[in-house]
Amino acid sequence: NPTTLEIKGLLIENAATNLTNYSEEADNAWWAKQAVTISANTTTAPDGALTADSMVETAVSNSHGIDRTSIIASLTLGDYVTSSVFVKQGSGDRRLQLVFGGTAFANAPYCNFNLDTETVTLGLQATVRSATMTALPNGWYRCTFTVQADVTGSVRPFFRLANSNSTAINSYLGDGTSFIYIWGMQVEQTSY
């Protein structure tokens, strides 16, 4: 149990490969930044090291977050892909939004995670399969999002800030100060 640390038994999962690079370095150039400033190593990550980054929105009207501009995987119709990330509330009333772009989806599937109320809002696309939000010590959450390909095509991940009215378009006027902490970005071509 991530909160009480009670031993719940052995967890056995199939092997999978993280398709992202620099999963603990949102400031790395591998990640494209859109209307955000990334400050590296600003707080203690879930593993106890000082490696979690701040993702601060800029004061422009745009989407705010990091993504991979090039393709990280090719999916066949019906394939699953799952993203996950560790997040913690920083300053301002901001949420986390996970989005999948690329040609494998008729519409970009998305999910919003409210870090204050611990609620998850799924996009309405048929490709959306599930989302989870698990509370961890020290205010951290592990957020996961699973979708299924509509057609054979490419996929790329987006990890974004969101305001209370965010949709898949997720464009709003940033205030220049609101932020969340982010760490451990992961994308796997699996259903979990």
Side-chain angles (χ1 to χ4, degrees):
N1 183 304
T3 304
T4 67
L5 303 180
E6 174 190 5
I7 296 173
K8 303 296 275 184
L10 184 63
L11 176 64
I12 300 174
E13 296 178 342
N14 292 330
T17 301
N18 185 1
L19 301 174
T20 68
N21 293 331
Y22 305 100
S23 65
E24 297 172 9
E25 299 173 41
D27 63 317
N28 190 283
W30 191 86
W31 294 102
K33 284 76 172 172
Q34 187 170 30
V36 293
T37 301
I38 304 294
S39 296
N41 307 329
T42 55
T43 195
T44 304
D47 69 350
L50 184 65
T51 54
D53 301 337
S54 300
M55 184 163 63
V56 185
E57 65 186 35
T58 57
V60 298
S61 186
N62 205 336
S63 295
H64 305 270
I66 61 172
D67 66 90
R68 183 64 182 158
T69 55
S70 60
I71 303 309
I72 67 165
S74 294
L75 303 179
T76 302
L77 171 66
D79 282 354
Y80 288 93
V81 63
T82 299
S83 66
S84 67
V85 64
F86 294 89
V87 294
K88 181 177 180 178
Q89 187 65 271
S91 174
D93 180 24
R94 292 298 177 255
R95 291 132 171 83
L96 167 73
Q97 184 178 74
L98 298 180
V99 181
F100 281 110
T103 60
F105 312 104
N107 296 297
Y110 72 96
C111 184
N112 292 331
F113 299 86
N114 188 318
L115 305 177
D116 292 325
T117 63
E118 298 183 11
T119 55
V120 178
T121 305
L122 293 171
L124 300 177
Q125 293 87 347
T127 57
V128 173
R129 291 295 171 240
S130 66
T132 63
M133 184 175 187
T134 306
L136 302 170
N138 301 318
W140 283 98
Y141 294 94
R142 183 169 188 223
C143 300
T144 67
F145 182 45
T146 301
V147 299
Q148 191 173 22
D150 287 323
V151 295
T152 296
S154 61
V155 65
R156 46 189 282 253
F158 297 81
F159 299 87
R160 293 178 172 164
L161 286 157
N163 66 7
S164 59
N165 300 316
S166 290
T167 64
I169 304 300
N170 192 33
S171 183
Y172 64 91
L173 178 60
D175 60 18
T177 59
S178 292
F179 73 95
I180 60 174
Y181 296 106
I182 188 168
W183 182 82
M185 293 75 68
Q186 188 166 317
V187 178
E188 295 179 349
Q189 198 167 332
T190 64
S191 61
Y192 57 88

